[in-house]
Amino acid sequence: MKHWQLNNEANGIVVAVLDRAGESTNALSTEVMLELSQILDQLDKTPPAGLIIRSGKAAGFIAGADIGEFSQLDTPGKGLALVARGWDLFNRLAAVSYPTLALVRGHCLGGGLELALACRYLLAVDEAGTKMGLPEVMLGIFPGWGGMLRLPQRVGPAAALDLMLTGKTLDAKRARNMGLADDCVPPRVMEMAARQLLLSQQPRRALPLVQRLLNGPLKAVVANGARKQVAKKARPEHYPAPYAIIDLWQQHDGNALAAPEVVERIIQSPTAKNLLRVFHLQERLKGFGKPSDDKASDFTARHVHVIGAGVMGGDIAAWCALRGLTVTLQDQSLERMAPALKRAHALFVKRLREPLKIRAAFDRLIPDVAGDGVAHADVVIEAIFESVEAKHALFRAIEPKLKPTAVLASNTSSLRLEDLRTALARPERLVGIHFFNPVAMMPLVEVVEAEGADPTMVRAACAFVKQIDKLPLPVKSAPGFLVNAVLAPYMLAAMRAVDDGISPETVDEAMLAFGMPMGPIELVDTVGLDIALAAGQQLAGGAEAPRCLQQRVDRGQLGKKSGQGFYDWSSGQAKKAAPGSVPAGLAEKLVKPLVDRSSQLVADGVVADADLADAGVIFGTGFAPFTGGPLHLRAGRR
Ligand code: NAI
């Protein structure tokens, strides 16, 4: 066999190790599945005392199906055949006479978890990389290899649907606590624990009666609740897969083969194709941060120094500490840093949950009024006031202290790097690392290259961005880079529509129906009307500010932060009236300037090609992912 190894142990246990040839991670390709069925054939003839399935890769257990094969599902019938392959094979695995166990260490996703669910026991290894989930919905499809059948049986239908409809993952402890894993053990005892559990004859933990009822006669209760939850986030005409998951579970016990028309409709949908495209775009962005073959360009940051503990600097520092880096955070006084430290703590509590881990993250974030960290940092990020003079003074003061290899970056949104770097003795070392607000929520970071910048620094900046689990997008130095440059004419068009008498609610509804995560007027309220006005002056090519914007700014109505903008924010949420009916063609009219500008920026070379522009706009603005991006949409490839 090419991908699997079978080890027969003296105690009668067989260990099947998946180590997919020629790849660093395991995925369930046609060949891998075929070999697994051959293993089952062989074991049918001479049944073992038990079978352990594990991975031979350091990266993890199994990352899922082989996504490369999805793009070959272009003709009717192929999708159904793919579903049948996994459904039948895993049913066969679930029915074998001898005990089976999946030893799960590292990622165990999609088809990988469906395989593990088909084993009698699932033993999770408790370490940082272990995560389990069924994220198919994020690719616009469904877990058709038994996940929709077995996950509800294992953890109860509400928890299972929550996992399948959001694509979120569980670590080893949470998987055990929810009943997905039978046990969770540290790596040093996993071998022994796996063999003990396998031969224990211990029955599976039964679902409580209520859960069994909800997974049987009372399915409608859970299904209706799940449909309501999904409807809050995704419209069926944009994202059909989550609705199909609920239906397939409710009506067919998760057997997609019982509803071939649903399988074809979902797999052949433009949404599934476009979400697959978005997945590949995301991989391409990650690639910018990966080490090239040229070893000299490898860069790993250990210590980051952030200057300016305001809205951005504070959150950038917290994010880096969360991601395991040592961070020194500098501002003019400790008092100015206090709000940032408070927000950091809240972030750690939310994301890390365990007191020891929270404590450790907080220990990594070191307030540093004197700026001693500059001399030790691998990356120094400047996020002080948006003023050329202030930034010049800062650069002059810190440059002599920097390590020669340190990346010096500015988070500026609107100043030219070419103007900022004139204060430096080595101007070519300055790069832009442009985060978006809120830092913890936004996946994209623009890495800005000014004319004549040192390419080693640009590559190192991309590697750093990838290291902290953000998506680096290389862009050239130009006003607004990519993301703000495309947002400005879109927001302007939206506010012009308000000037023309269309209500903010109607404008927002038009774009929500189009598939944007937030309406453009609510977006203006969120970023602040003063910021939108300033950005507009810089990016709108001298166009006059919309009246609706200017008047509100004059009245001090600056949006969410002041409690009133286009909407009343006194309750913390935008208070919106009913949108009424949306004029035909409004969404297309509003989105056109964004698409035009994206295309122009590609032509100008600010971003390297149309695919990267689509990636940047999707991950930087939330532009409707199911469309595949603005330029893909324009090209009519939906
Ligand atoms: P902010 O006004 O919230 O924070 C700036 C902080 O820098 C203040 O705490 C101030 O005390 C500190 N500071 C000023 N001069 C300093 C110095 N010489 N040494 C140490 N600390 C100093 O500003 P914000 O919004 O965080 O913006 C910072 C930078 O990030 C700007 O360049 C801005 O263009 C950029 N940016 C802002 C975004 C936003 O949404 N606010 C988004 C992306 C980039």
Side-chain angles (χ1 to χ4, degrees), residues 345-392:
H345 193 258
L347 176 73
F348 301 154
V349 169
K350 186 166 164 218
R351 297 286 183 120
L352 298 171
R353 290 188 300 268
E354 292 174 34
L356 277 177
K357 291 185 181 163
I358 296 167
R359 181 68 219 231
F362 213 57
D363 284 350
R364 286 193 292 271
L365 177 57
I366 306 157
D368 177 20
V369 177
D372 295 331
V374 171
H376 309 287
D378 306 304
V379 177
V380 174
I381 302 174
E382 167 281 302
I384 67 168
F385 301 137
E386 196 70 329
S387 141
V388 178
E389 293 72 32
K391 293 190 196 256
H392 274 178

Side-chain angles (χ1 to χ4, degrees), residues 474-493:
V475 290
K476 292 280 186 296
S477 172
F481 315 124
L482 171 73
V483 171
N484 288 344
V486 304
L487 276 179
Y490 162 64
M491 286 155 88
L492 181 67

Side-chain angles (χ1 to χ4, degrees), residues 307-314 316 330-333 336-337 369 382-387 390-391 393-394 410-415 433-438 484 527 531:
I307 311 175
V311 174
M312 293 304 289
I316 293 168
Q330 179 182 349
D331 205 303
Q332 290 153 333
S333 67
R336 285 197 179 239
M337 265 184 262
V369 177
E382 167 281 302
I384 67 168
F385 301 137
E386 196 70 329
S387 141
K391 293 190 196 256
L394 178 75
S410 173
N411 186 48
T412 183
S413 288
S414 61
L415 302 175
I433 299 188
H434 185 235
F435 287 82
F436 296 94
N437 189 8
N484 288 344
V527 298
I531 308 257

Side-chain angles (χ1 to χ4, degrees), residues 85-143:
R85 195 174 75 206
W87 173 263
D88 293 341
L89 180 63
F90 292 167
N91 276 349
R92 196 178 157 201
L93 174 61
V96 296
S97 57
Y98 45 88
T100 52
L101 177 145
L103 178 58
V104 173
R105 181 180 196 181
H107 54 228
C108 172
L109 303 171
L113 182 58
E114 294 179 295
L115 187 157
L117 281 166
C119 294
R120 185 177 303 171
Y121 303 112
L122 193 163
L123 181 64
V125 180
D126 187 16
E127 65 178 13
T130 299
K131 54 175 180 171
M132 282 160 259
L134 293 174
E136 283 84 349
V137 75
M138 289 154 107
L139 290 174
I141 54 176
F142 47 81

